Amino acid sequence: MLVALVWVGSRASVAGPLTLTQEGSPRATIVQASRPVRAAQFAALELQYHLRLMTGVEIPIVREPDAGQGIRILVGESEATKSLGLTKESFASQEYLIRFLPQTLVLMGRDK
């Protein structure tokens, strides 16, 4: 997933750059639903872990209604993704989305 994230990120100039860390500090927050499904919880922890390996910075994970600070990384279906018109029912089984928006990165899909 991270390889796809980097590849797609290099093509996401429309939304502008999303700086997730800077000078050893987080500039983003991983945001999940108030009661995320297990797959979304696992994905958020994996993302946090790999970003820490790459940058040395731990990006915090919060649950709604907390929106965190800085860039929002929305992992899994949540009220925030629903407000963007994205629900798990929008996807076929095993279909996933990586979307770059101003100040927001959306990572979601529909697991089997």
Side-chain angles (χ1 to χ4, degrees):
M1 180 166 83
L2 287 175
V3 172
L5 181 64
V6 170
W7 181 79
V8 173
S10 68
R11 302 183 152 339
S13 61
V14 174
L18 294 177
T19 304
L20 305 180
T21 69
Q22 188 171 23
E23 297 178 9
S25 297
R27 296 203 43 205
T29 303
I30 299 169
V31 181
Q32 295 196 291
S34 60
R35 296 182 60 162
V37 297
R38 188 172 298 189
Q41 289 176 312
F42 180 72
L45 289 169
E46 282 288 300
L47 178 62
Q48 181 187 53
Y49 172 75
H50 287 284
L51 288 172
R52 184 174 55 241
L53 286 178
M54 290 187 291
T55 66
V57 176
E58 185 163 306
I59 305 292
I61 299 173
V62 300
R63 292 188 178 179
E64 292 178 327
D66 190 345
Q69 295 184 356
I71 306 292
R72 295 182 312 160
I73 305 172
L74 306 177
V75 177
E77 183 181 66
S78 65
E79 293 303 317
T81 62
K82 289 176 186 175
S83 73
L84 296 170
L86 300 169
T87 65
K88 63 183 176 204
E89 287 78 24
S90 305
F91 301 95
S93 178
Q94 300 301 308
E95 184 178 24
Y96 300 93
L97 167 78
I98 300 171
R99 181 173 290 171
F100 292 84
L101 302 167
Q103 299 296 304
T104 303
L105 171 59
V106 181
L107 305 172
M108 67 177 297
R110 187 171 191 175
D111 291 319
K112 188 173 181 179

